[in-house]
Amino acid sequence: MLTHFTKHYDTPGQIAAAARHYAWIAAHAQPLRQPALTVVGPTSLTFERIQGRPAQQGDLSRLARLLGDAHGAAWASDLRPAAVNMPHTFRDGTLFVDYIGPREVALRKRLEQGYLPDKIALQAMLALLEKTAEGPTAFYKDCNPRNFVITEDGTAFVVDTDDLTLAPFAYDLAKLIATLIMTYGPLPASAADEALGTYNEAASRHDARLGTTDRERLDDFLALHSVLTAPYAGRNGYRYGWPFQRPRLQGPA
């Protein structure tokens, strides 16, 4: 049985960034468990191989609690002074790209790719992006189901630290909800509300200001993710999609 997993990169800069992000999460978002990083090579990173499965819809509530705790811990430890719409570099050299910049670029690309119907739709999405760029600062690490490994005893590990950005609280929770829908189909009607409540409760243990995301704001994040993830439909296990409007979670028929 293989005991290690090696991930290869194109440039030394990508290796250095992924290793710094890994170390930052280990230091400041300790509720998130990661496989041990065993070797930093010239073209690759080697990790302990964790045997398990990707996240499933039944994991949403406890993963929401984990994310709320991790985002709250990171804010209390290192993100308190960071502004969500400004790039931030910490003393250890870890770079966090701002929330708006890369997503504005991606939304404009979605128009060019045909995933938005016209410039009016693009402007609506850019306005939504700007609207959500407020409040305390968390981080985003792309919490899709494949970036969790759930072991046989139920322990959740997170993998893939290639790209970290700043983001508002609950933005990465919305990414998890969106990609669970894209992977497995519609969630039960109450699932998103329950996950958001669990997330807010966990985040608020670190500071009451961190647990105030409401459902309208979560839906704004879901609308953004529905467009930003559109090119990946049919790839990476994403078998389901939705039209490019505010997503609606469907209950059982």
Side-chain angles (χ1 to χ4, degrees):
M1 181 182 296
L2 295 175
T3 59
H4 294 86
F5 169 76
T6 299
K7 184 169 185 177
H8 295 273
Y9 295 83
D10 293 331
T11 68
Q14 291 174 329
I15 297 171
R20 278 200 306 271
H21 295 159
Y22 176 97
W24 185 89
I25 288 174
H28 301 293
Q30 293 184 1
L32 296 183
R33 298 188 62 175
Q34 302 179 96
L37 175 57
T38 58
V39 179
V40 179
T43 62
S44 65
L45 298 176
T46 298
F47 299 90
E48 169 193 18
R49 181 180 288 274
I50 303 296
Q51 299 297 326
R53 58 169 176 81
Q56 299 173 356
Q57 290 187 344
D59 301 309
L60 176 56
S61 182
R62 67 191 186 99
L63 293 181
R65 181 179 297 107
L66 177 64
L67 283 177
D69 191 16
H71 289 163
W75 180 88
S77 173
D78 214 17
L79 288 176
R80 189 189 304 250
V84 72
N85 58 349
M86 295 288 293
H88 198 93
T89 303
F90 291 102
R91 285 177 297 177
D92 66 357
T94 302
L95 173 66
F96 282 86
V97 179
D98 69 290
Y99 171 63
I100 289 181
R103 290 167 182 86
E104 179 178 348
V105 171
L107 288 171
R108 294 186 184 280
K109 187 173 183 180
R110 298 298 176 267
L111 175 64
E112 297 172 2
Q113 295 169 319
Y115 295 108
L116 286 169
D118 50 40
K119 290 185 177 180
I120 295 174
L122 171 63
Q123 291 306 314
M125 296 309 298
L126 292 175
L128 189 60
L129 180 66
E130 185 76 27
K131 173 190 172 186
T132 58
E134 60 181 13
T137 301
F139 64 93
Y140 169 80
K141 72 162 299 297
D142 186 10
C143 283
N144 68 64
R146 293 171 289 104
N147 283 344
F148 289 96
V149 179
I150 313 295
T151 65
E152 189 173 350
D153 67 2
T155 303
F157 287 82
V158 296
V159 297
D160 189 354
T161 60
D162 293 356
D163 300 299
L164 258 64
T165 73
L166 300 176
F169 270 74
Y171 180 79
D172 216 354
L173 173 64
K175 179 59 178 288
L176 176 59
I177 292 170
T179 51
L180 283 172
I181 293 170
M182 293 177 70
T183 303
Y184 302 108
L187 286 163
S190 62
D193 288 329
E194 292 173 0
L196 180 60
T198 300
Y199 175 92
N200 280 335
E201 181 184 1
S204 67
R205 294 194 191 110
H206 298 273
D207 189 287
R209 293 170 289 178
L210 308 181
T212 59
T213 304
D214 60 20
R215 181 54 194 268
E216 180 181 356
R217 187 168 171 83
L218 182 70
D219 283 346
D220 287 342
F221 292 148
L222 286 169
L224 288 166
H225 284 305
S226 73
V227 177
L228 291 169
T229 59
Y232 306 105
R235 299 163 49 194
N236 301 325
Y238 294 152
R239 296 177 296 158
Y240 300 86
W242 49 49
F244 301 127
Q245 64 228 22
R246 177 165 295 181
R248 296 187 181 277
L249 301 178
Q250 300 174 17

